[in-house]
Amino acid sequence: MSTAGSLREPSRFKRRYALLGLLLVGWGSAWALDMRWDGWMPRDQGWRLWKRFFAAAWQPAWTYENATPLVDAPPFLGAMLLAIGTTLRYALASMGIALIAGLILGVLASHAFWNAGPGQTTPAWRQTARTAFRVACVALRSVHELLWAI
């Protein structure tokens, strides 16, 4: 029997209790915050703002909409292309740096790089160095999630 076939799918019974728990937590949170159903719907000014927002989203402005035109300002599409080019340059530069740093750190964090050889015991300082590089890799990978958490 394969390992993939032996894994059980969560039962519907457990899913129902999980869904019921989420609904109860949501209802309890709404009750604790004293939320009312009519507070979720926009009023007159809210509906007007909603309509203006989505009308502008369907018909974007392709020119600057300032009352006073900017002196020596590039056209809107030109400014957009410059911004896209800047973004791509930063992305390519950061990917190049990440590729080189990842290759170096990957080799330094590998077991094969620090292994003493067959039949020999690896010295403690090598194990410590390998662990330090592995911790550095984990710390660098967690920066993205920490920024999202902040």
Side-chain angles (χ1 to χ4, degrees):
M1 178 184 263
S2 69
T3 57
S6 64
L7 296 177
R8 287 186 32 181
E9 187 177 328
S11 67
R12 291 182 183 175
F13 186 72
K14 290 179 184 177
R15 289 181 191 162
R16 287 181 187 156
Y17 276 120
L19 182 60
L20 180 64
L22 287 173
L23 288 174
L24 287 175
V25 167
W27 179 80
S29 300
W31 178 77
L33 294 171
D34 196 29
M35 297 176 80
R36 302 277 183 246
W37 182 255
D38 61 346
W40 291 41
M41 301 305 289
R43 307 274 191 271
D44 291 336
Q45 292 293 343
W47 282 113
R48 284 190 209 124
L49 183 62
W50 184 83
K51 288 177 186 175
R52 280 185 48 213
F53 175 79
F54 282 104
W58 285 109
Q59 297 174 351
W62 295 106
T63 60
Y64 289 109
E65 295 184 356
N66 291 347
T68 58
L70 300 174
V71 178
D72 295 331
F76 183 73
L77 289 177
M80 291 290 291
L81 290 174
L82 285 173
I84 290 170
T86 302
T87 302
L88 287 175
R89 281 195 306 265
Y90 276 107
L92 289 173
S94 62
M95 287 299 294
I97 293 169
L99 181 68
I100 294 168
L103 182 65
I104 293 169
L105 284 173
V107 169
L108 291 174
S110 71
H111 181 70
F113 183 78
W114 297 102
N115 195 8
Q120 298 176 352
T121 57
T122 305
W125 71 270
R126 286 186 177 184
Q127 292 175 356
T128 305
R130 178 178 168 263
T131 303
F133 283 114
R134 291 178 67 88
V135 167
C137 289
V138 169
L140 289 173
R141 289 213 37 175
S142 66
V143 168
H144 180 259
E145 284 78 12
L146 291 173
L147 289 176
W148 273 106
I150 290 172

